[in-house]
Amino acid sequence: MKHTRRSIRFRFFAAISTVALVFIGVLFLLNLFFYDDYYMATRRNELGDAYNTIRSSYGGDVNKIAAVLDSYESQTAIRLAIVASDGTVLYSSFLAGDADRQDSSDPSFHLPDFDLLEQQRRGYAVLQSIAQNLSRETLARRGYQFLNISLWDNDQYLCLAGTMDSSMRHYLFAYMPYAYIQQNSSLNLTFLLIAGGCALLICLLLGYAISRQFTRPLIAMASVADRMSELDFSTQYADGGEHAGDEIDQLGQSLNRLSAYLEQTIGELQQSNEQLAQEIREKERIDSMRREFIVNVSHELKTPIALIQGYAEGLTAGVADDPADRKYYCDTIADEADHMNKLVMQLLSLSKLELGAEQLYYEDIDLHALCAEAVRKTAVLREGRGLTVEYADTHVSIHTDGDLLDQVLMNYLSNAIRYTADGGQIRISAALRGGRVRLTVFNQGSGLPEEELPKIWEKFYRTDRARTREAGGTGIGLSLVRAIADTLHGTCGAENVAGGIAFWLELPVDAVNTRSAQIQ
């Protein structure tokens, strides 16, 4: 891009320089080829003007027009002579000069003036050549004619011969040397070359300054465009100063608007892409969970269905003829059916909670009474194992859905009983924390690896990788607890503590008011 910027400035400068060079070149060529003709035409016009002026002032007496003749002699390079038709020179520039030179302030000392003699000799030669070459027919028709006279030493003169009266008794000879004309032409050409060189240098300097001035905003816009191409829209085109309001400044402002529009549009596209990427990741996660859910449900239902099918076929085939065997077969079928029913009911409850379709019934719950009832209902699970269950004798009340809270407590307590070694201890406690209540179930044991604590809340996740049926459970319980906690505007968690592991649920004391505040 730097090369492009230089080329823009260089081409702009080159264009201005070329125009200046062409203009000066045209002037030089015009002067070279047409100046001489123009100058000769101008000299001819001067001779013609002199002839017309003197002829109109001439009345036959040369002395009366002496002032006019002297004026032309002193102001121009024209030399004049008035000659009679018989060849008598009535007036001549070199004769007038002779008379002036003879008027010396020191007449006692006078040497011949050889320049004057040469001038007289040359002047007579010019007059004689004019007289010999003039055409009386042309003079009679036009009144004057132009002549080019060359002397013996190749001196050339531009001459005019014209009649002073209609009778053609007196003639006016006006002439000027070509050397004077050529000298003026040469001086003019030299001056034109010098002036043209100076003008070209000035044009180059001005062209460089102008090119910098006019290309500066273009280079600035190119820089902005560069940054835009790299999706950097922080650079803006500044006001053009002397270009303010013109087309260049309008272009720069349009570029700023384009930059702002692109920044906004690209930002929106990036947000849309990020949102789409999140949605895709979420969809992939949901698809993965759906596939995993199907696999897990299939795994959970496969064993009880197989057992029910096998024992039912055994009964049908009469394998269990003994009443005790039939009772064992029937009890097994009932247990497996109950296991499947429990799994299905938990999945239905979990789906309702996650979809927000669960109908809530809020009431005042005494946590002490709730814990006592949970201990009573799980007594059958502790038979013969020597487990000790303690719960704090603190009457803490909470306004929430009793059935859902009971599900959480029963799930925590059942897991604690299941994973506590025989003769171990389980403690249930409730504590107020500001406007919230934390219900905690602790059981003795080795706890869980820290990296597994966040995973136990996932559906069908078990620390028992083999998923043995002896371990019990469906793998849905803790996922159901988390869904209940979210529904009741609370939180849940598990942490390894000294001597075991503690599962807790924290809920607002007044869940109804909390829910109303969130809705508003």
Side-chain angles (χ1 to χ4, degrees):
M1 181 55 69
K2 291 183 178 178
H3 174 72
T4 303
R5 292 173 185 169
R6 291 197 189 101
S7 65
I8 291 175
R9 179 168 293 173
F10 174 77
R11 285 186 290 176
F12 198 93
F13 171 70
I16 296 176
S17 302
T18 301
V19 171
L21 187 60
V22 169
F23 180 74
I24 295 174
V26 169
L27 289 180
F28 176 76
L29 292 176
L30 290 174
N31 182 81
L32 184 63
F33 293 103
F34 299 102
Y35 178 75
D36 287 347
D37 294 338
Y38 171 76
Y39 189 77
M40 288 296 295
T42 304
R43 300 297 92 180
R44 287 173 180 266
N45 289 334
E46 290 182 1
L47 293 175
D49 291 341
Y51 166 72
N52 292 326
T53 302
I54 295 172
R55 186 176 187 274
S56 63
S57 302
Y58 184 66
D61 187 355
V62 174
N63 294 325
K64 292 183 178 181
I65 61 171
V68 178
L69 295 174
D70 289 340
S71 175
Y72 272 99
E73 290 284 345
S74 60
Q75 296 179 7
T76 66
I78 301 174
R79 297 296 174 256
L80 302 171
I82 298 177
V83 182
S85 57
D86 59 1
T88 303
V89 177
L90 303 179
Y91 173 85
S92 176
S93 299
F94 54 83
L95 293 178
D98 184 27
D100 293 337
R101 295 184 185 204
Q102 289 176 358
D103 185 13
S104 174
S105 61
D106 187 8
S108 62
F109 182 78
H110 178 72
L111 294 175
D113 191 338
F114 294 100
D115 289 339
L116 179 59
L117 296 176
E118 177 63 24
Q119 180 184 356
Q120 292 175 348
R121 186 171 69 90
R122 189 177 298 277
Y124 280 118
V126 172
L127 297 182
Q128 185 177 10
S129 296
I130 295 174
Q132 291 174 353
N133 290 280
L134 62 79
S135 171
R136 294 184 178 276
E137 290 79 6
T138 303
L139 292 177
R141 184 176 67 254
R142 295 181 55 187
Y144 66 92
Q145 72 174 118
F146 290 100
L147 301 170
N148 292 325
I149 301 301
S150 297
L151 299 184
W152 60 90
D153 54 0
N154 292 326
D155 280 352
Q156 295 182 333
Y157 296 86
L158 174 64
C159 306
L160 178 146
T163 61
M164 296 293 285
D165 49 39
S166 57
S167 62
M168 299 180 64
R169 291 184 299 107
H170 294 162
Y171 299 91
L172 174 66
F173 293 166
Y175 61 94
M176 62 176 59
Y178 267 104
Y180 173 80
I181 298 174
Q182 292 174 349
Q183 182 182 15
N184 277 277
S185 177
S186 177
L187 289 174
N188 180 75
L189 180 60
T190 302
F191 176 78
L192 181 62
L193 288 174
I194 296 173
C198 294
L200 180 60
L201 179 60
I202 293 173
C203 288
L204 292 178
L205 294 176
L206 290 177
Y208 179 75
I210 292 173
S211 65
R212 283 179 55 85
Q213 191 69 23
F214 275 88
T215 57
R216 185 180 295 112
L218 298 178
I219 293 175
M221 283 185 276
S223 177
V224 173
D226 278 346
R227 303 296 291 274
M228 289 172 59
S229 66
E230 298 173 358
L231 301 183
D232 181 4
F233 303 100
S234 60
T235 304
Q236 295 288 311
Y237 170 75
D239 292 340
E242 68 277 3
H243 295 287
D246 63 8
E247 290 79 0
I248 294 179
D249 185 59
Q250 292 175 6
L251 177 60
Q253 299 305 323
S254 299
L255 190 63
N256 287 343
R257 290 193 293 271
L258 176 61
S259 176
Y261 176 75
L262 287 177
E263 183 179 14
Q264 178 183 357
T265 303
I266 292 177
E268 293 174 354
L269 288 176
Q270 289 176 342
Q271 292 179 355
S272 299
N273 290 339
E274 292 175 358
Q275 183 177 359
L276 181 60
Q278 292 178 358
E279 292 176 355
I280 292 174
R281 288 194 295 268
E282 181 66 16
K283 182 178 183 300
E284 292 175 348
R285 188 184 69 84
I286 293 174
D287 289 342
S288 177
M289 292 175 58
R290 184 181 294 113
R291 289 191 296 269
E292 183 180 359
F293 178 79
I294 294 173
V295 171
N296 290 328
V297 170
S298 301
H299 181 83
E300 292 292 335
L301 294 178
K302 178 178 65 176
T303 300
I305 290 175
L307 289 173
I308 290 173
Q309 182 180 5
Y311 281 97
E313 290 176 353
L315 290 173
T316 303
V319 174
D321 294 334
D322 186 82
D325 292 338
R326 284 197 299 273
K327 183 178 183 305
Y328 174 75
Y329 275 51
C330 290
D331 289 344
T332 302
I333 292 173
D335 289 342
E336 297 302 329
D338 181 67
H339 181 80
M340 286 193 299
N341 180 67
K342 183 178 179 181
L343 174 62
V344 171
M345 294 303 295
Q346 285 183 332
L347 289 174
L348 289 175
S349 298
L350 181 60
S351 297
K352 285 184 179 180
L353 289 170
E354 290 180 339
L355 294 174
E358 181 73 20
Q359 185 67 37
L360 302 180
Y361 298 96
Y362 290 93
E363 56 183 330
D364 291 327
I365 305 297
D366 185 353
L367 292 183
H368 180 79
L370 182 69
C371 293
E373 180 63 18
V375 171
R376 185 190 66 77
K377 288 189 293 185
T378 57
V380 66
L381 300 178
R382 304 191 307 275
E383 288 181 357
R385 298 186 58 192
L387 299 177
T388 302
V389 180
E390 299 177 356
Y391 56 93
D393 191 15
T394 301
H395 293 276
V396 178
S397 296
I398 184 173
H399 193 80
T400 188
D401 188 293
D403 291 339
L404 294 181
L405 183 58
D406 182 64
Q407 288 186 52
V408 173
L409 182 58
M410 287 297 296
N411 192 288
Y412 280 173
L413 188 55
S414 298
N415 284 343
I417 294 172
R418 184 178 300 116
Y419 292 103
T420 302
D422 293 349
Q425 186 180 29
I426 299 173
R427 290 195 301 270
I428 306 174
S429 61
L432 283 171
R433 295 188 175 187
R436 302 176 72 84
V437 175
R438 173 171 284 202
L439 179 65
T440 305
V441 177
F442 164 83
N443 66 277
Q444 288 181 336
S446 59
L448 291 174
E450 291 295 330
E451 64 271 11
E452 288 195 7
L453 290 178
K455 302 177 182 178
I456 61 178
W457 308 97
E458 299 176 2
K459 298 182 183 70
F460 298 107
Y461 183 82
R462 284 176 177 172
T463 58
D464 175 22
R465 295 292 191 271
R467 291 182 179 272
T468 58
R469 292 179 58 79
E470 290 77 6
T474 61
I476 300 296
L478 292 181
S479 298
L480 189 62
V481 169
R482 183 175 62 180
I484 291 174
D486 292 339
T487 301
L488 297 180
H489 315 293
T491 56
C492 59
E495 54 188 1
N496 292 314
V497 295
I501 186 170
F503 287 83
W504 53 267
L505 172 71
E506 190 170 278
L507 297 175
V509 173
D510 190 353
V512 175
N513 292 338
T514 302
R515 182 171 181 270
S516 300
Q518 290 183 355
I519 292 176
Q520 293 176 356

